[in-house]
Amino acid sequence: MRLLKTFIATALVLVSSLVSAQKKSDPQGGLAYSLPSTVITLEVEAVQEKFYAGPYAKYAEKYLGIKVRQKDETTYQLVQVDMAPCVEADQSKRYILFSEKGKVDASFLKLSNAGLVSFSDAVAAGSTQWRFPAQTVGDFSDKGVSSNLTSEATVLYKNDRKESEYNKVSVQQNMIVAKTPEKKAAETAEMILDLRRQRLQIVTGDTDATYSGEAMAAAIDELTRLEKEYMTLFTGYSETQVQKKNFEVIPDADRETQKYIAFRLSDTAGLVPADNLSGKPIVLELIPQEIAPVESAVANGSKKTPATLAYYRIPAVCTVRLVEGADILIQTRMPVYQLGTVSTLPVNVILK
């Protein structure tokens, strides 16, 4: 029993030590801060087009003399990209200002409000999720006006008994059968051409009816509407919807080349993250401007003031390009902190 109590007490001490180790805290009496880091945010908008081929698409060239798309397909196209830099704390570059002899004059913090202080209360950027709708099929059921049935003459034979033999005698019989797709396509094409003829007759006045003013406009509009509706049986129709997503790119100064796959555009899923290999890559390229070396300057006077050093970043101005294949979608200039230089700032120490 005593051995069990000793074991439990030892385990509690170890757990308490682990919990204390997990709680990270900065040394007391110092001023901790992080260097700024640039995150490039992209707000991307794409349009999804679902195309439904017409049921008479393969007869469009034969009866109407036009070439149309023959099969259903879904495509995505980029329509808008907004790109902007966002500054946040670089947690890998943290420093502390500490003086055992006195107090640090923190007035230098007024030089910058992005990076020279800790960003413990920074809010992470949000993301937008898109839910794709259920798959649908094209509906052309209410577009036609001709009957689905037709009369077809069929020749049958019956046996005619004579005195010593049977003879086959042909008998013609009409049967009601379903029209073939080509037959319905031909009738629909004829209706389209007839609508065009009626519209031309109204416009030219070559008709027994009299149309004027609003009546003529209404008749022409209705004939045009009917023609477009029947034409979809050959040309098909499209449904579109907008897809929006946000992506972020964090430049890394240790990379050999400053090219990043910002996101991908998939033919089936649209906008997808960079690690989804189903889409073609949209590349973000950064070209930092060369930074000239500093020129030293000698301060006047020989009096030395006790000082400590504060580290800060000077951002590199970069040409940023967003590229799709060989096409440049966006080209702009923006400062990127982590691709710049780290410098120091002497901070006066107020002695007691």
Side-chain angles (χ1 to χ4, degrees):
M1 187 68 179
R2 180 177 300 176
L3 181 61
L4 178 61
K5 289 182 178 179
T6 303
F7 175 77
I8 294 175
T10 304
L12 291 175
V13 171
L14 290 175
V15 171
S16 177
S17 300
L18 290 174
V19 172
S20 299
Q22 291 176 355
K23 294 181 179 179
K24 297 180 180 180
S25 60
D26 295 326
Q28 295 183 357
L31 175 62
Y33 63 95
S34 299
L35 296 186
S37 176
T38 301
V39 179
I40 300 176
T41 61
L42 300 165
E43 296 181 4
V44 188
E45 181 177 325
V47 171
Q48 177 200 54
E49 180 196 12
K50 283 189 174 182
F51 175 75
Y52 303 101
Y56 308 150
K58 64 180 180 179
Y59 307 112
E61 188 172 7
K62 179 178 180 179
Y63 292 110
L64 295 175
I66 59 175
K67 292 184 179 181
V68 298
R69 297 156 74 177
Q70 299 291 323
K71 60 181 181 179
D72 297 352
E73 59 183 351
T74 300
T75 58
Y76 288 85
Q77 182 180 4
L78 291 177
V79 294
Q80 182 175 347
V81 179
D82 292 332
M83 181 170 61
C86 178
V87 178
E88 64 180 26
D90 187 348
Q91 299 298 341
S92 65
K93 298 293 182 181
R94 301 184 70 248
Y95 300 91
I96 187 167
L97 291 175
F98 184 78
S99 176
E100 296 180 356
K101 296 181 179 180
K103 298 180 180 180
V104 175
D105 182 3
S107 61
F108 74 95
L109 292 177
K110 296 178 182 179
L111 296 176
S112 173
N113 60 357
L116 291 180
V117 293
S118 176
F119 280 71
S120 59
D121 58 345
V123 179
S127 60
T128 302
Q129 295 182 352
W130 177 264
R131 295 181 180 271
F132 289 94
Q135 295 294 328
T136 57
V137 296
D139 183 12
F140 299 91
S141 59
D142 60 345
K143 298 285 191 296
V145 295
S146 61
S147 172
N148 190 51
L149 303 177
T150 186
S151 177
E152 186 177 278
T154 304
V155 178
L156 304 177
Y157 294 89
K158 70 175 182 178
N159 290 327
D160 186 18
R161 182 177 181 181
K162 296 285 178 99
E163 293 181 355
S164 59
E165 62 181 359
Y166 285 93
N167 294 326
K168 288 186 176 180
V169 180
S170 62
V171 178
Q172 184 170 344
Q173 181 177 346
N174 292 328
M175 300 178 62
I176 304 300
V177 296
K179 295 178 183 178
T180 63
E182 184 173 0
K183 176 67 174 177
K184 290 189 285 187
E187 292 180 354
T188 304
E190 181 58 34
M191 285 187 291
I192 292 172
L193 297 176
D194 185 57
L195 289 170
R196 293 175 180 176
R197 284 191 292 267
Q198 292 182 45
R199 185 170 60 223
L200 179 61
Q201 289 171 353
I202 293 175
V203 172
T204 60
D206 185 17
T207 176
D208 295 336
T210 302
Y211 295 92
S212 62
E214 296 182 358
M216 178 181 288
I220 292 175
D221 290 343
E222 180 63 16
L223 291 172
T224 302
R225 184 191 67 81
L226 290 173
E227 179 191 349
K228 289 181 179 180
E229 185 172 347
Y230 299 149
M231 281 294 293
T232 60
L233 294 169
F234 293 92
T235 61
Y237 69 94
S238 297
E239 293 179 351
T240 60
Q241 52 187 332
V242 176
Q243 181 186 15
K244 293 182 179 180
K245 282 192 175 182
N246 294 344
F247 301 95
E248 293 182 347
V249 175
I250 304 177
D252 184 0
D254 296 330
R255 285 176 61 111
E256 294 183 3
T257 60
Q258 291 299 318
K259 290 185 178 181
Y260 305 85
I261 298 178
F263 59 93
R264 294 178 183 267
L265 186 63
S266 169
D267 292 334
T268 57
L271 300 171
V272 294
D275 57 356
N276 188 331
L277 302 181
S278 64
K280 58 183 178 182
I282 308 298
V283 178
L284 185 72
E285 179 182 6
L286 291 88
I287 305 175
Q289 180 179 331
E290 292 187 4
I291 302 176
V294 297
E295 296 182 2
S296 60
V298 180
N300 295 328
S302 59
K303 184 177 181 181
K304 295 183 179 179
T305 304
T308 187
L309 296 177
Y311 292 86
Y312 68 98
R313 265 180 175 161
I314 301 175
V317 179
C318 300
T319 298
V320 183
R321 297 173 181 167
L322 191 67
V323 181
E324 179 184 7
D327 299 329
I328 298 178
L329 303 178
I330 297 178
Q331 179 168 319
T332 186
R333 288 165 58 85
M334 67 174 59
V336 179
Y337 278 97
Q338 57 268 42
L339 300 185
T341 58
V342 177
S343 188
T344 57
L345 174 71
V347 181
N348 292 333
V349 177
I350 303 175
L351 300 177
K352 290 182 178 179

